[in-house]
Amino acid sequence: MAEAKDAVTAAIGSGDIAARFEHAIAVVREAGRVAMDYYRRVDELVVESKANPLDVVSIADKEVEAVIRREIAAKFPDDGYLGEEMGIDRGKNDCLWVIDPIDGTACFVNKMPTWVISVALMVGNEAVIGLIYEPNGDELFAACIGKGATVNGKPIAASQVDNVNAGVMGVGMSHRVESAALVPFIADLLDREGMFIRNGSCALMMAYAASGRLIGYFEPHINPWDCMAGIVLMREAGGWCNGFLDAPNVLEDGAPILVAGPKVADVLSEMTGVK
Ligand code: IPD
Ligand code: CA
Ligand code: CA
């Protein structure tokens, strides 16, 4: 862990992170243009199912991930990648780009605009850059370690509400876990006069939490490409994040995710059992 921190410090000190941040912003915007071209003719796409009928993928997901990898490699050839569609490919240095080319694919293929491109950079075990681009609304959420978080260049901050009934909570769910992993939390939230929303994209809801639009986000199991950029955004926006990065084998197996505004973090942690 100390070695990882040293790697991060050295990388930040050398300006490498800032250069990657600037380049990655241009890359996700380009990826957004490619994804939008597919979205506009979504009826023509062949949609395949993965683990279950609701876990879908199309050529758009694969092509967008290929574009992101190609554009990053053009400038930083030694960096590695972990992408939902193309798997892990360790580079020659400590940098690992964690990519979900389209988060919210079930929305994408059913003509609903709540999908995003999510790109994060890890240096060693630390997440240092988070970019979430929502092309339909042209909102680019961006954060770099120690530099704060923005949407389209304007600073954003996590919610400051102090009660779960004072704002909307984002939730996510997949068939990777049993319904019992989520249902008791929803019941508890409703009993406390709170409310929830699920829009089909974990990354977009985490960006909304980092912007204070949602009070937080909970999903009982999530993969690293879904949430890595959101973790950086939430931390840089002054929000709280659970110990996702410290979970065993998290890059392979995933873990629960909980992010929250600082004043509701304790109660949401207690309600979900996620630390
Ligand atoms: C899914 C979305 C969804 C979340 C799932 C993810 P995909 O990713 O983020 O909101 O609840 O756990 O798998 O398949 O749209 O990239
Ligand atoms: Ca995803
Ligand atoms: Ca995806």
Coordinates of all heavy atoms in Angstrom, one line a residue, residues 50 56 61 84-85 100-105 225-226, ligand 3:
K50 N -25.7 -11.4 -22.3 CA -24.5 -11.9 -21.7 C -25.0 -12.9 -20.6 O -25.5 -14.0 -20.9 CB -23.6 -10.8 -21.2 CG -23.1 -10.0 -22.3 CD -21.8 -9.2 -22.0 CE -22.1 -7.9 -21.2 NZ -20.9 -7.1 -21.0
V56 N -27.1 -6.9 -21.5 CA -26.9 -6.9 -23.0 C -25.7 -6.1 -23.4 O -25.1 -5.4 -22.7 CB -28.2 -6.2 -23.6 CG1 -29.4 -7.1 -23.5 CG2 -28.5 -4.9 -22.9
D61 N -20.8 -1.0 -27.8 CA -20.0 -1.1 -26.6 C -18.6 -1.5 -26.9 O -17.6 -0.9 -26.4 CB -20.6 -2.2 -25.6 CG -22.0 -2.0 -25.2 OD1 -22.9 -2.0 -26.1 OD2 -22.3 -1.7 -24.1
E84 N -14.7 -3.3 -19.5 CA -15.8 -4.3 -19.4 C -15.9 -5.3 -20.6 O -16.1 -6.5 -20.4 CB -17.2 -3.6 -19.3 CG -18.3 -4.7 -19.2 CD -19.7 -4.2 -18.9 OE1 -19.9 -3.0 -19.0 OE2 -20.5 -5.0 -18.5
E85 N -15.6 -4.8 -21.8 CA -15.8 -5.6 -23.0 C -14.5 -6.3 -23.4 O -14.6 -7.4 -24.0 CB -16.3 -4.8 -24.2 CG -17.6 -4.0 -23.9 CD -18.7 -4.8 -23.3 OE1 -18.7 -6.0 -23.6 OE2 -19.5 -4.2 -22.6
D100 N -15.7 1.6 -18.7 CA -17.0 1.1 -19.1 C -17.5 1.9 -20.3 O -17.8 3.1 -20.2 CB -18.1 1.2 -18.0 CG -19.3 0.4 -18.3 OD1 -19.5 0.1 -19.5 OD2 -20.0 0.0 -17.3
P101 N -17.4 1.3 -21.5 CA -17.6 2.1 -22.7 C -19.0 2.7 -22.8 O -19.2 3.8 -23.3 CB -17.3 1.1 -23.9 CG -17.4 -0.2 -23.3 CD -17.0 -0.1 -21.8
I102 N -20.0 1.8 -22.4 CA -21.4 2.3 -22.3 C -21.9 1.8 -21.0 O -22.0 0.5 -20.8 CB -22.3 1.9 -23.5 CG1 -21.7 2.5 -24.8 CG2 -23.7 2.3 -23.2 CD1 -22.5 2.2 -26.0
D103 N -22.1 2.6 -20.0 CA -22.8 2.2 -18.8 C -24.3 2.6 -18.9 O -24.6 3.8 -19.0 CB -22.1 2.8 -17.5 CG -22.8 2.3 -16.3 OD1 -22.7 1.0 -16.1 OD2 -23.3 3.0 -15.5
G104 N -25.1 1.6 -18.8 CA -26.5 1.8 -19.0 C -26.9 1.3 -20.4 O -27.8 1.8 -21.1
T105 N -26.3 0.1 -20.8 CA -26.6 -0.4 -22.1 C -28.0 -0.8 -22.3 O -28.6 -0.7 -23.4 CB -25.7 -1.7 -22.4 OG1 -24.3 -1.2 -22.4 CG2 -25.9 -2.3 -23.7
W225 N -15.4 -1.2 -13.3 CA -15.6 -0.3 -14.4 C -16.9 0.5 -14.3 O -17.0 1.6 -14.8 CB -15.6 -1.0 -15.8 CG -16.5 -2.3 -15.8 CD1 -17.8 -2.4 -15.9 CD2 -16.0 -3.6 -15.6 NE1 -18.2 -3.7 -15.8 CE2 -17.1 -4.5 -15.6 CE3 -14.7 -4.2 -15.3 CZ2 -17.0 -5.8 -15.5 CZ3 -14.6 -5.6 -15.2 CH2 -15.8 -6.4 -15.3
D226 N -17.9 0.0 -13.5 CA -19.1 0.8 -13.3 C -18.9 2.0 -12.4 O -19.6 3.0 -12.5 CB -20.2 -0.1 -12.7 CG -20.5 -1.3 -13.5 OD1 -21.0 -1.1 -14.6 OD2 -20.4 -2.5 -13.0
Ligands
CA3 CA -21.2 -1.4 -20.0

